[in-house]
Amino acid sequence: MTAQEIVFLLLGVVTVGSAVLVVTTRRLVHAALWLVVSFGALAGSYLVLTAEFVAWAQVLIYVGAVVVLLLFGVMLTEAPIGRSDALDSGNRWAALAIATATAGVLVTVVVRGFKDAYLPPRPGGGTAGVIGSSVFRGWVLPLEVLSLLLLATLVGAIVLSRTDVVREPSDDHDDHDDHGDPADHGDHDGQGRGDA
Amino acid sequence: MNYVILSAILFTIGALGVLIRRNAIVVFMCVELMLNAANLAFVSFARMSGNLDGQVIAFFVMVVAAAEVVVGLAIIMTIFRSRRSSSVDDANLLKY
């Protein structure tokens, strides 16, 4: 067993364990924090795979930005901070069966398909310079499309989250929810529960 | 090889979380887990085939995932503002 395999084993155990905790923990904030551990271990896995640039992008984007954004979401939706048992839905065993079946199929396919596809890692495989020249050689158009997508996301998030937009009265029935009137919300909740 | 198995397991855990969790933000976290599993598969396939395209695609997936989180959280906030709940069971007006 080489050192690389040992490191992979440790990182894999940490990743899977913290991912299981994200799925099973009863506290919302703990789920977000276990997500940090899982993403960090994944970044370590990328490093072992010599994908340095992807590893640091993972740390910056996921650990740095996405988890903070999710924690802000937890805060802004007034989610229960302590233990809450209403976090899981009732179909746990059906979900477990489906997940086990999915895992079986995926692992079987992967093992059958890529049994002997292995290249020994060589150093310097994915540094920022190499990735950069690869991006600007063969992936320029996707990169530009991606920048447009980010712009559209920015505009879309602002449009979705601003509250001072005057909407058309014929829009939908949530057009007067912009002012945060509690009576309205009770009304909608009643209606929603009636549907269910 | 082992990495691809790890990514399959991680994907399954994320899918399980999407299936059993009720809070929309935790569902989001599990979607992120699934995206990360896909990224890990991309990077390890890039490793196996010896070129860099998989790593570039993994980077692109990360950017798209960040954009998705931003828009998704804005949608969750809008739903929360109108329904006072962030549970996915309460957002059922389009269901029947």
Side-chain angles (χ1 to χ4, degrees):
Chain A
M1 215 175 180
T2 64
Q4 192 201 350
E5 284 170 344
I6 295 173
V7 171
F8 163 72
L9 209 62
L10 290 176
L11 286 172
V13 166
V14 170
T15 308
V16 170
S18 50
V20 166
L21 279 169
V22 169
V23 174
T24 58
T25 182
R26 293 254 172 240
R27 297 166 194 247
L28 216 56
V29 182
H30 287 197
L33 296 179
W34 281 118
L35 204 65
V36 172
V37 178
S38 185
F39 288 166
L42 265 178
S45 300
Y46 294 153
L47 273 184
V48 177
L49 281 168
T50 70
E52 292 171 35
F53 179 71
V54 178
W56 297 125
Q58 163 100 356
V59 171
L60 281 178
I61 294 178
Y62 275 114
V63 181
V66 167
V67 173
V68 172
L69 215 57
L70 286 172
L71 280 174
F72 265 99
V74 169
M75 185 182 77
L76 288 175
T77 55
E78 301 165 16
I81 297 298
R83 286 179 65 91
S84 58
D85 289 333
L87 223 50
D88 286 352
S89 66
N91 50 6
R92 172 178 307 185
W93 296 111
L96 203 62
I98 290 174
T100 316
T102 312
V105 169
L106 278 178
V107 170
T108 313
V109 166
V110 159
V111 168
R112 290 271 178 94
F114 303 98
K115 198 176 295 176
D116 39 32
Y118 178 71
L119 273 179
R122 49 183 196 284
T127 57
V130 186
I131 293 276
S133 62
S134 172
V135 164
F136 287 106
R137 195 164 292 145
W139 295 88
V140 179
L141 187 62
L143 191 76
E144 298 298 325
V145 172
L146 214 56
S147 66
L148 267 184
L149 173 78
L150 282 180
L151 180 66
T153 307
L154 189 68
V155 176
I158 292 173
V159 168
L160 273 178
S161 59
R162 67 184 289 181
T163 55
D164 55 340
V165 186
V166 182
R167 296 188 189 163
E168 298 291 321
S170 64
D171 193 2
D172 200 16
H173 53 78
D174 60 348
D175 48 355
H176 41 234
D177 280 340
D178 299 338
H179 309 293
D181 192 0
D184 272 339
H185 307 315
D187 188 21
H188 284 306
D189 265 352
Q191 188 184 346
R193 298 262 155 68
D195 282 349
Chain B
M1 180 62 230
N2 293 328
Y3 289 94
V4 187
I5 295 178
L6 173 67
S7 99
I9 293 172
L10 206 60
F11 185 90
T12 310
I13 294 172
L16 177 70
V18 170
L19 286 176
I20 68 171
R21 289 303 220 179
R22 198 174 263 166
N23 190 299
I25 294 177
V26 188
V27 170
F28 247 98
M29 293 177 197
C30 299
V31 171
E32 295 302 314
L33 272 182
M34 291 161 76
L35 283 168
N36 266 288
N39 268 346
L40 184 62
F42 269 129
V43 172
S44 51
F45 282 141
R47 172 80 265 158
M48 285 178 190
S49 65
N51 65 8
L52 285 173
D53 289 348
Q55 294 187 18
V56 175
I57 291 180
F59 174 62
F60 285 174
V61 168
M62 270 182 207
V63 177
V64 174
E68 171 246 337
V69 166
V70 170
V71 175
L73 275 182
I75 291 173
I76 290 177
M77 290 311 298
T78 310
I79 292 176
F80 177 75
R81 218 182 286 140
S82 65
R83 314 287 295 262
R84 306 308 292 171
S85 157
S86 62
S87 167
V88 289
D89 289 349
D90 288 341
N92 56 3
L93 277 182
L94 287 177
K95 198 171 171 185
Y96 296 115

